[in-house]
Every structure is written in C-alpha cells, then in structure tokens.
Amino acid sequence: MLLNLHVKNFAIIDEVDVTFTDNLNILTGETGAGKSIIIGSINVALGGKIAKDIIRKGAEYALVELLFQIEDKHILEVLNEMDIPAEDGQIIISRKIMNGKSISKINGQSVTAGVLKEIAGLLIDIHGQHEHQSLLYKEKHLDIIDRFAKSSIGDIKKELESEYKEYINLRNKLNELKIDEDKRLREISFLEYEINEIKNANLKMGEDEILAAEYKKLSNSKTIAEGLNNVYDWMSYQITDSAGDNIGRTVKQLTKLLEFDDSLAGLYNQILDIETLVNDFNRDLSEYTSDMNNNEEDLSITEQRLDLINHLKSKYGSAITDILKYLEQSEKKLSQYKNYEETMSALAIQLEKQETKIQDLSDQLSLIRKEKAKDLSAKIKDALIDLNFLEVQFEMIFKPTGHYSVNGFDDAEFLISTNPGEEIKPLSKVASGGELSRIMLAIKSVLADKDEIETLIFDEIDVGVSGRTAQKVSEKLSMIAGSHQVLCITHLPQIAAMADSHYIIEKSSDGFTTKTSIRNLKENESIDEIARILGGAVITDTVLQSAKEMKQLAKTTKKY
C-alpha cells in the first residue's frame, strides 16, 4: 500500500507531502490545478520518463519519494534476493533529478532503472489513458487471460518456459555445428592444436598462485638473506649484547644465585626454556638462510613456468579453472566434429523430442486458456453491463501463431459489440476512448481477486462518462477498493462522492510564481467540493443538497 507521497521542486509543485489511506482515495481539483502532475510524479519515481523542464524554475533538483507498507511475503522475498533491506515491511522509493541525470534509491540503496521498474511492477499498477490504449494491442489480451487463469496454468507456463529454453539451446547447437567439410576439417585441426597446447602444460589447480608466491620469494632472495643475517646477528651468541649473548649471561648468573636461594629455581627453569627456544630459532634461521643461496636456477624454472601459464591465460581464460573448462569444452566439440554425422543425428533426434514436449505443453496451455476465456468473457460482459454497456457482446478468440514461443502458440484477441444488431468485431476496431476506459475498469474488476498488486491508480477513468454510467463506474471502483488500495483522479461528482479519503489539488499564484498543493478534505469540505463539481461557479442550496445526497448514497452503496 502507498502510505505517503513527497514531491519537491517538481514542475509547478514547490513541495507537497500527502498521506494516503486504505480503500478508495479520490483526487479532484480545478482544470489545470496539477492533478496530472501528481500522478506524473509517481510515474517518474517508479522509473518513468523525465520531461526536460520537470525541475521547478529556480531549483537545482527535483525529488519524488514514495513510502510503501508491504504485507506480501513474495515481494519481501524478491527484495531480499536483491539485497535490498525492508525493515518492518516498509519501502521508500526515491528519485532525485538533476540537470542531465537522476539517482534512484530503494531504502537508501542506489538501484538501476531495471531493478526500479521490476520492484515498481510488484507494488503499483497505474492506469492512465495510455494504459487504456494498450487494450488495442492483442499481446495485452493474451496477458490478461493468463493472469485470470494463473492458478490453472502457472505450473504449465513455468515448465514450458524451461523446455522452450532447452529447445532453443538445442536448435542453436545444431545450427552452430552445421558447417561444410573443409571448414569441419580446419576446425578439427585447430581444436587439436589448442587441446595439445593445454594438455602438454599439465596444469594443476592453484599452481599459479603457488608459483607467484615462490617467484616473489626467489626474486627477492638477496633482500631476504640480508635481513635474516641481521636477525641472526641480533639473536645469536656471535655479537656482544645480542639476545643470545644476554640470555647466556642470565643463565650463568641465575646458576650462581641458586646456591643462595632455592626459590629462584622457577625463574632459572624459565630462562633455560627461553635459551632452548632461542637456540632452536637460530638453528632454523641458519638453515633457512643457507637455502636462500644458489637459487638462480630455481628462479629461472619458476619464471618460465609462470610465463607459460600466463600465456595460456591470455588465450584461454583468466584463471586455471577457466583454461581447464575451455579444454573440456574443446574436447567435447572435437568429439562432435570427429563424429559429425552421429552428433548431428543425435541432436536432430533430441530437437524433435523437445519439440514434441513443447507441442504437448502448448496444447495443454491452449486448451485451458480457451476454457478459462469463456469464463473470463462472461465475467467481463457482466462487468460491462454493470458499467452501462446494456446490449454488449464480448468474447475471446484464439488463432495459432504458426510458431512456438515461451508463451506457446496462441494468438488471442478480444471481440466486442456495444450496440444491438452490430456485428462482433475486434476491440481495436470498435471501442472509443471513453469505452476503452470502462472496458479496462471492467477487466480490472474481474481480475481484482487474482491481482496481487496492492495499489491501483486510475487516471482519466471517467473519459466520456456521465449520468447513470458515472454512478456505475463509481460503484465498480468502490468494489475494487474493497480488496485494493485505489487512487483515482476524477472530474465526476458520482465518483468523488464514493471516496473513503477525498483530496483536493489546488493551484495558487502570488503573481510571480505558481504552486500546486494537495490536502485531505474533511466530510463537510468533501461535500463542498462535490457541489463545486456539480454546480460550477455558482453553488446553490439545491446543488449543496444534491452533493450531500450523493455522499449519503455512496455510503449505503459500499460493500466494505
């Protein structure tokens, strides 16, 4: 659910902060007050396109922030997979727009446009005039039936997606291996050369790291030897006042003192242990230092081996694991080219089997779609009748595309007749702009129980609507708001009266600058605003009484 919208320096908006509620949130206001800018700011925050002049005049940046409260565990899991924190189920989406660039964040973490749009698609569904127009495209129709039939076809679509990927993979392999005889022989020769080069190197996992460390040591052996000689001098008995010399003196001194005080035995034993440790240390140090001599040959061998490995890395991969993986792939490919006819035949058989799987899954998918389409069409027809399409006919037809895709082979399209006696025709050839908005509303009402997106925004849902139809639209919006949070911009008093929360968008000017503001109306203010929409410039007692009656009627109509 969208809890809060904060907009700053956006077009004619100086700063707006508004809190939305459950169910039906209605936004009204005079023409030109900035209603479309409010919805536009939400669109921009969710990754929409940015107009060049969107930053308020005189400001350095524009900012839009959206606060959502998320209850859906699936959405929280998606966020967790993206390493986006969501404490207490709250998500803040912000987009800061500066000249020539913008920065999008989710809960303070910068995200790409792709991630932003993916998350936005789970949180909110915006239906404006552009969205209504999308009903004219057949691709949208197939998506609608699949959303309606999700519980019946979800598993089949997942399986089809997986099998289709495998089908494409096999088809690509088959095409890649299709070469003429001369090229096949050249490929065999080239692969054999590369395989022999890698095999002859006899690489071992982790060898490059060990060699690098050894090379580092051997190439700095002189520095190491000089340093260790200094250490030996400090620790041995060779130099006066060295550690070993002083420890030896300490042992002799304590030996004499033990004749006078037995309690010094503990200290004496400790210094003997220290002397033993120092002697062992000096012996090991001497052996290590002697091993550092005459290492020119070892350095040369190590350097040559490293050069060989680095040469192979430059050709076959940045690590030994990559080189060995390349070797494995090359050996497999060589085998395929050497056994060309058998390989091609085996792949062709695999491809045929995979195509059969896709055919079976596509058949299942198509059969369920056609059955569910009857139910969907009947429900949409009933919803359209509720929206004052009294003599409407509505159905869905299917045609094969002639090829497979991740969606099967169905091409689906809605057909409609809005007047008695009219032939049923494709939606794109019949519906007007106003009719499209109501058809979209009818579809959304049918899908309401199956739609997991919590927040729906309707802009221009009342295009070309008036009278009894407007009342029907308001009732349908209220029905959807029973299971979703709905934000709706409207010019119609019937829809405004149905509001659970009513907001007015106002524009003011001091003669120099223009500002848009938004505020939540109290009950009496909502009635006044409905009266303004009803009566225009002059609000009479009769108009005010009509507004009160509309508000009262709306309360009795709601089902929640």
Side-chain angles (χ1 to χ4, degrees):
M1 183 175 104
L2 178 60
L3 293 181
N4 183 266
L5 166 67
H6 179 234
V7 185
K8 188 172 184 178
N9 301 331
F10 191 93
I12 61 173
I13 296 175
D14 179 21
E15 188 161 16
V16 160
D17 192 271
V18 56
T19 299
F20 295 108
T21 62
D22 290 337
N23 306 121
L24 185 56
N25 297 261
I26 294 295
L27 293 82
T28 61
E30 294 276 9
T31 301
K35 297 186 293 296
S36 60
I37 295 174
I38 295 293
I39 300 302
S41 69
I42 295 174
N43 250 322
V44 165
L46 298 173
K49 291 183 179 179
I50 302 170
K52 290 181 179 179
D53 57 349
I54 206 66
I55 300 175
R56 182 173 169 82
K57 187 177 180 181
E60 294 181 359
Y61 67 90
L63 175 68
V64 185
E65 290 182 328
L66 306 176
L67 171 61
F68 290 90
Q69 179 66 47
I70 307 302
E71 306 295 340
D72 192 320
K73 291 182 180 178
H74 169 65
I75 297 176
L76 294 173
E77 287 172 2
V78 172
L79 289 168
N80 186 53
E81 289 171 4
M82 294 180 173
D83 292 325
I84 296 173
E87 282 188 31
D88 302 322
Q90 289 199 342
I91 297 172
I92 298 176
I93 294 177
S94 68
R95 193 172 186 189
K96 188 175 184 180
I97 304 149
M98 294 151 285
N99 289 323
K101 63 179 180 178
S102 69
I103 300 172
S104 297
K105 293 185 178 182
I106 299 179
N107 284 0
Q109 182 173 312
S110 296
V111 294
T112 63
V115 169
L116 180 63
K117 288 184 178 180
E118 182 178 350
I119 296 299
L122 299 172
L123 299 176
I124 197 166
D125 198 356
I126 300 177
H127 295 276
Q129 190 172 10
H130 173 74
E131 189 67 23
H132 305 331
Q133 294 296 325
S134 70
L135 278 176
L136 300 177
Y137 303 106
K138 290 192 294 182
E139 296 82 2
K140 184 74 174 180
H141 303 175
L142 190 65
D143 176 60
I144 289 170
I145 182 61
D146 283 0
R147 286 168 68 184
F148 180 75
K150 184 178 179 180
S151 60
S152 300
I153 66 174
D155 291 340
I156 295 174
K157 285 195 74 174
K158 283 182 181 177
E159 187 177 356
L160 177 58
E161 182 180 1
S162 174
E163 298 295 351
Y164 182 74
K165 284 180 181 177
E166 180 60 22
Y167 169 76
I168 294 298
N169 185 39
L170 286 168
R171 194 175 68 182
N172 289 341
K173 280 184 180 179
L174 199 60
N175 290 333
E176 285 173 9
L177 287 171
K178 282 182 181 178
I179 56 175
D180 59 45
E181 185 64 12
D182 287 343
K183 187 175 180 181
R184 183 178 72 87
L185 293 174
R186 288 197 300 272
E187 282 290 324
I188 288 174
S189 176
F190 184 65
L191 285 167
E192 285 177 336
Y193 169 79
E194 290 189 325
I195 289 168
N196 288 332
E197 184 178 34
I198 296 172
K199 279 189 169 181
N200 290 337
N202 194 25
L203 298 172
K204 297 178 180 61
M205 294 295 293
E207 179 186 7
D208 50 345
E209 296 174 2
I210 295 170
L211 286 168
E214 184 67 12
Y215 177 78
K216 185 178 180 181
K217 182 183 79 171
L218 293 174
S219 61
N220 290 282
S221 59
K222 185 176 180 181
T223 303
I224 295 171
E226 289 175 353
L228 292 180
N229 284 329
N230 289 334
V231 172
Y232 186 78
D233 288 341
W234 299 331
M235 295 297 295
S236 68
Y237 298 88
Q238 307 296 324
I239 300 175
T240 302
D241 288 335
S242 65
D245 184 48
N246 285 325
I247 290 170
R249 292 175 184 169
T250 303
V251 170
K252 290 177 181 179
Q253 185 65 54
L254 285 174
T255 301
K256 292 178 181 179
L257 296 177
L258 271 174
E259 298 177 8
F260 310 114
D261 186 358
D262 292 341
S263 66
L264 293 173
L267 293 173
Y268 176 73
N269 290 330
Q270 286 182 44
I271 197 64
L272 285 180
D273 290 340
I274 292 171
E275 185 179 39
T276 301
L277 286 172
V278 169
N279 289 335
D280 292 343
F281 174 81
N282 285 328
R283 183 180 62 254
D284 294 343
L285 186 62
S286 179
E287 290 176 0
Y288 187 92
T289 304
S290 64
D291 289 340
M292 295 299 294
N293 298 323
N294 303 317
N295 61 6
E296 289 298 324
E297 186 178 349
D298 292 339
L299 177 61
S300 176
I301 293 171
T302 302
E303 191 171 16
Q304 289 176 22
R305 183 65 177 169
L306 269 178
D307 286 344
L308 173 62
I309 293 173
N310 288 332
H311 171 69
L312 295 176
K313 283 181 178 181
S314 68
K315 293 178 68 176
Y316 306 118
S318 59
I320 288 179
T321 51
D322 297 331
I323 297 171
L324 295 177
K325 186 177 180 180
Y326 184 89
L327 172 63
E328 182 183 351
Q329 292 171 343
S330 296
E331 287 178 325
K332 185 177 180 181
K333 200 168 185 179
L334 179 63
S335 175
Q336 290 173 340
Y337 280 132
K338 283 188 172 181
N339 303 282
Y340 187 68
E341 296 300 329
E342 296 90 332
T343 298
M344 294 297 285
S345 176
L347 279 174
I349 292 170
Q350 280 182 271
L351 186 64
E352 188 176 345
K353 287 180 179 179
Q354 197 64 27
E355 191 168 343
T356 301
K357 286 183 183 179
I358 293 172
Q359 175 73 46
D360 291 343
L361 289 168
S362 297
D363 284 338
Q364 293 178 49
L365 183 59
S366 184
L367 186 63
I368 296 172
R369 278 172 173 161
K370 289 171 182 175
E371 285 299 315
K372 292 292 182 181
K374 296 175 185 176
D375 187 22
L376 174 63
S377 297
K379 288 180 183 295
I380 291 175
K381 180 180 176 181
D382 290 342
L384 288 170
I385 292 171
D386 287 343
L387 290 169
N388 229 26
F389 284 91
L390 299 181
E391 298 291 337
V392 70
Q393 296 297 317
F394 193 91
E395 63 182 61
M396 192 174 202
I397 60 167
F398 291 84
K399 294 178 182 178
T401 59
H403 62 272
Y404 297 113
S405 76
V406 72
N407 261 330
F409 52 61
D410 285 326
D411 183 19
E413 186 171 19
F414 290 136
L415 303 181
I416 192 170
S417 169
T418 57
N419 296 303
E422 277 190 1
E423 181 184 352
I424 194 165
K425 295 178 181 177
L427 192 60
S428 59
K429 295 182 179 179
V430 177
S432 65
E435 288 175 330
L436 279 175
S437 67
R438 281 188 285 157
I439 294 168
M440 175 63 84
L441 182 59
I443 292 170
K444 291 305 298 183
S445 68
V446 172
L447 295 177
D449 292 338
K450 301 176 184 296
D451 203 332
E452 296 173 354
I453 298 174
E454 293 183 18
T455 301
L456 307 176
I457 295 180
F458 291 97
D459 187 16
E460 301 198 37
I461 198 69
D462 52 12
V463 172
V465 173
S466 61
R468 179 62 182 153
T469 302
Q471 181 62 33
K472 292 287 189 179
V473 169
S474 73
E475 291 171 7
K476 193 63 69 176
L477 280 170
S478 180
M479 186 274 289
I480 296 173
S483 56
H484 294 71
Q485 180 195 37
V486 175
L487 276 65
C488 179
I489 287 181
T490 187
H491 303 86
L492 296 178
Q494 295 93 332
I495 295 176
M498 198 65 75
D500 295 298
S501 295
H502 189 172
Y503 302 85
I504 186 167
I505 300 170
E506 299 171 307
K507 184 168 67 174
S508 61
S509 175
D510 59 5
F512 300 98
T513 59
T514 302
K515 295 181 181 180
T516 288
S517 62
I518 179 171
R519 60 188 177 89
N520 194 351
L521 299 178
K522 297 177 182 176
E523 177 82 8
N524 62 314
E525 291 177 315
S526 177
I527 292 171
D528 289 342
E529 173 64 3
I530 294 167
R532 181 197 65 78
I533 299 171
L534 274 168
V538 180
I539 301 175
T540 65
D541 290 341
T542 303
V543 171
L544 197 58
Q545 184 59 36
S546 296
K548 289 178 182 178
E549 290 174 0
M550 275 190 173
K551 195 71 178 174
Q552 190 59 41
L553 176 63
K555 288 179 181 178
T556 61
T557 306
K558 292 176 185 176
K559 301 290 193 297
Y560 53 87

